[in-house]
Amino acid sequence: MSITETPEVTPERARYYDKIQGQNLSPLWMVFNRLISREPRSDCRPHLWSYAELKPLLLEAGGLITAKEAERRVLILENPGMPDSGRITTSLYAGLQLVLPGEVAPAHRHTQTALRFVMDGNGAYTAVNGERTLMAPGDFVITPPWAWHDHGNDTAEPMIWMDGLDIPILQFFDASFAEPYGADEQPVTRQTGDSLARYGANMLPVDHAPDGLASPIFNYPYVLSREALEKMKSQQEWDPCHGLKLRYVNPVDGAAAMPTISAFIQLLPAGFASAPYRSTDATVFSPVEGSGYSMIGGERFDWVERDVFVAPSWATVTHHPESESVLFSFSDRTCQQKLGIFREQRLTDPS
Ligand code: 1HN
C-alpha cells in the first residue's frame, strides 16, 4: 500500500474485490490515500454569510413560527461543501437565533456544549443553572454540557445571536442525550452577575471544586474583553498573523472556556495586513467592529460587522482590515489539542 499511488485494478483483482464486497470487506490498498491523506482534505469550503441578508430572513421566520413552537428559532449556517449536514465546519455547528420581545425559548438540556455570540439587540437574557445573564452585543456566553438553559426577551427589540455547538462531534461519538425541563423557564436561584463575581475577578472561592470541564463563568462581557484589547493596543505589540488575539479561558485551569470549543477575540489595526497562517482547526469568524476583507485559500471575502465567515482546516488565511476591527472566532482547537493532533503554521516561518 502507498501514500501516493493507488494500485492498478487488473481483471483478476477486480473479480476479487467484487467477491469480498458481498462479505462486508474492503481492500485497504484501494482507499488508503482517502483514509490517510498527506494533508487535511476537507469537504468544508470557505464561505461568508452577510448579516444584511440574514437579518431580514430571520425576522421573516419570526412571523412564521414562535420561539416556543420551534424550541429554538434558528437559521443554521450550513457549509456549502456539506449541504444538509447541519455543519458549518466538519466538527462544528453554527446558526443565528432570534428571540422576539415577550418570547421564551423553553428550558432544556443536552450533552452538546453551546456558545452564544451576541449580535443584535440588548438586554434579553439567557439562564444557565439558575442564573440569568443579560446579553449585550459582543458578549460571549456559554452553556456547558448537560446544563439547563432557557432564553427570554423582556425588551422591546428583537434579539439575535450566533449559536456555536459541538453537535457534529457528539454525532461522531453517538453520545447525544437531551431532555426538556418540563416548564418554559427554570427557577431563578442566583442573582444576575453572581458567577462573574465569584469566578471572573481573578479569584476563585477558596474551596472551589469544579463541576465538569466547562468554565464556571458563563458570560464574558464585551465591555471587559474590549477594554483589555484597548489597553493592549497602546503597547504596539502586534503579532504578524493575529494582531492582538486573546483566548477565552476557564479561570479554574486556564483551559478553553468549553471542553470542545475554543473561542477568541482579536483586534486588528486599520490597514493591517496579517501574515499568512494556517491551522488544523477550521474556524468561524464574526467581525464585531470594523470592515475589511480576508483571503481564505486564495478566495477573497469582504466583511462588515456581524457577518459570519468560515475558514476550513489548513486553508491559508490573511486578514486585511480597512478600519480598526475586532474579530470574534471559534473552533475545535481545544479538542484537537487534548488529542495531540493540533497543527499550525506561520507561512512566513522557514519550515
Ligand atoms: C440549542 O439548545 C440552542 O439553547 C440553540 O439556544 C441551538 C441547536 C441544536 C440543538 C440545540 C439554544 C441549538 C440547540
Side-chain angles (χ1 to χ4, degrees), residues 176-189:
S176 176
F177 292 88
E179 60 185 32
Y181 182 75
D184 278 0
E185 294 173 282
Q186 61 184 299
V188 176
T189 56

Side-chain angles (χ1 to χ4, degrees), residues 72 74 93 97 108 110 116 149 151 163 165 167:
R72 297 294 186 264
V74 178
Y93 157 106
Q97 177 160 183
H108 67 201
H110 38 69
R116 333 268 165 213
H149 56 286
H151 319 296
D163 292 309
L165 286 93
I167 292 170

Side-chain angles (χ1 to χ4, degrees), residues 41-92:
R41 271 180 25 184
S42 183
D43 288 332
C44 178
R45 293 219 297 261
H47 190 72
L48 179 140
W49 290 262
S50 152
Y51 187 73
E53 288 169 21
L54 283 170
K55 185 175 179 177
L57 292 171
L58 199 49
L59 292 174
E60 191 180 338
L64 294 175
I65 190 161
T66 62
K68 190 165 173 175
E69 191 191 347
E71 185 88 15
R72 297 294 186 264
R73 190 201 291 109
V74 178
L75 289 181
I76 304 175
L77 305 176
E78 266 196 346
N79 191 283
M82 297 177 285
D84 303 320
S85 66
R87 298 171 186 210
I88 189 162
T89 69
T90 309
S91 62
L92 296 173

